[in-house]
């Protein structure tokens, strides 16, 4: 079942590469792995060894496959824009790859994507345009199966062969960020702390 979705993503890469990138993007590995906090990502490092060479990777989140196919393809194209910028030496992100700047927005909107802005991650919010949806439909890109990775509980063993449910421990930390310079830290309790660099109080965001 997962193989069928993988084939659709690989076909989608070929179509989008031809339509929006003049087939200039070299092959890479497209994976489907757990990534609940994001729809996908592109790896700057060539992390996959394939025979005698190494390839970059685009991952599509297994937890977000229940979206409409045009949105999944928009996420794929979003990561392909990162790939294009990486190859073209265009600085499209900052802050360890988290913040998407106006160069990314410009390149993405050339490829049929609608890009919105959100604080802390910049011009990252991605929607398919009407033109993009028409491309997906015209090339017959469809979801082969209703498939999605839901929140999973791990199973261990107690030594007798009986399964024991291993629940993930709850995180008791809070994240604080400086609204001026974006320095951040975590704490185990509520605090009132100031940033010495900016003379600004840290804000709790999670």
């Amino acid at each position: 079942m997962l193989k069928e979705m993988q084939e659709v993503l690989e076909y989608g890469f070929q179509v989008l590469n031809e339509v929006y990138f003049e087939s200039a993007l070299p092959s890479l590995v497209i994976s489907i792995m757990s990534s609940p906090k994001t729809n996908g990502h592109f790896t700057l490092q060539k992390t996959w060894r394939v025979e005698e060479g190494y390839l970059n990777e685009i991952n599509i989140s297994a937890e977000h496959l229940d979206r409409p196919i045009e949105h999944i393809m928009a996420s794929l194209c979003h990561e392909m824009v990162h790939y294009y910028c990486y190859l073209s030496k265009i600085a499209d992100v900052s802050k360890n790859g988290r913040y998407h700047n106006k160069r990314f927005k410009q390149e993405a909107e050339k490829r049929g994507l609608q890009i919105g802005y959100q604080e802390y991650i910049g011009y990252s919010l991605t929607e398919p345009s009407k033109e993009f949806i028409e491309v997906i439909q015209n090339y017959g890109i469809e979801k082969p199966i209703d498939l999605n990775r839901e929140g999973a509980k791990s199973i261990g063993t107690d030594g007798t062969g009986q399964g024991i449910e291993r629940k993930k421990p709850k995180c008791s930390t809070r994240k604080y960020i400086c609204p001026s310079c974006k320095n951040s830290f975590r704490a185990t309790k509520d605090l009132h702390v100031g940033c010495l660099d900016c003379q600004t109080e840290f804000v709790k965001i999670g």
Side-chain angles (χ1 to χ4, degrees):
M1 290 182 285
L2 194 60
K3 178 183 177 182
E4 294 176 14
M5 192 65 210
Q6 186 91 34
E7 290 173 348
V8 169
L9 290 173
E10 291 175 356
Y11 173 59
F13 178 88
Q14 294 175 7
V15 169
L16 297 175
N17 193 14
E18 177 183 339
V19 173
Y20 291 116
F21 298 90
E22 299 180 342
S23 298
L25 301 182
S27 297
L28 81 175
V29 172
I30 300 177
S31 63
I32 301 173
M33 294 189 291
S34 178
S35 181
K37 293 184 178 181
T38 181
N39 290 327
H41 67 258
F42 165 69
T43 58
L44 295 174
Q45 299 79 22
K46 294 187 176 182
T47 54
W48 283 87
R49 182 180 63 80
V50 180
E51 296 182 343
E52 300 301 320
Y54 288 83
L55 299 178
N56 295 97
E57 172 194 43
I58 287 176
N59 178 62
I60 298 299
S61 169
E63 284 83 5
H64 300 290
L65 292 175
D66 57 351
R67 296 177 297 150
I69 188 62
E70 58 268 23
H71 289 264
I72 295 174
M73 288 296 128
S75 294
L76 176 61
C77 191
H78 175 121
E79 304 309 329
M80 291 171 69
V81 172
H82 284 310
Y83 187 24
Y84 170 82
C85 290
Y86 162 77
L87 295 171
S88 304
K89 295 180 170 40
I90 296 172
D92 62 332
V93 294
S94 58
K95 300 176 185 176
N96 293 321
R98 184 180 71 253
Y99 188 89
H100 295 56
N101 60 32
K102 289 185 178 180
R103 292 298 301 277
F104 175 82
K105 172 181 168 68
Q106 181 182 32
E107 295 297 335
E109 290 184 340
K110 290 179 184 178
R111 275 86 187 182
L113 300 178
Q114 295 177 340
I115 303 298
Y117 179 84
Q118 184 174 342
E119 193 175 5
Y120 304 125
I121 60 174
Y123 298 94
S124 179
L125 302 180
T126 302
E127 296 284 337
S129 67
K130 181 178 179 181
E131 170 213 324
F132 187 91
I133 293 173
E134 289 176 352
V135 169
I136 300 306
Q137 293 174 343
N138 290 340
Y139 279 86
I141 302 176
E142 299 178 345
K143 291 178 76 171
I145 190 172
D146 183 14
L147 179 71
N148 194 64
R149 186 179 191 274
E150 307 294 340
K153 297 178 181 178
S154 60
I155 299 294
T157 179
D158 63 357
T160 65
Q162 299 296 318
I164 301 175
E165 185 178 283
R166 307 293 187 188
K167 293 185 178 180
K168 185 178 179 180
K170 292 183 178 180
C171 177
S172 61
T173 63
R174 293 94 164 143
K175 184 174 182 179
Y176 292 82
I177 190 166
C178 172
S180 297
C181 68
K182 309 307 181 192
N183 283 332
S184 64
F185 70 94
R186 287 190 174 273
T188 57
K189 62 181 181 179
D190 291 333
L191 298 172
H192 293 285
V193 180
C195 176
L196 296 179
D197 292 334
C198 306
Q199 304 300 313
T200 303
E201 184 174 358
F202 280 88
V203 176
K204 185 172 72 172
I205 63 171

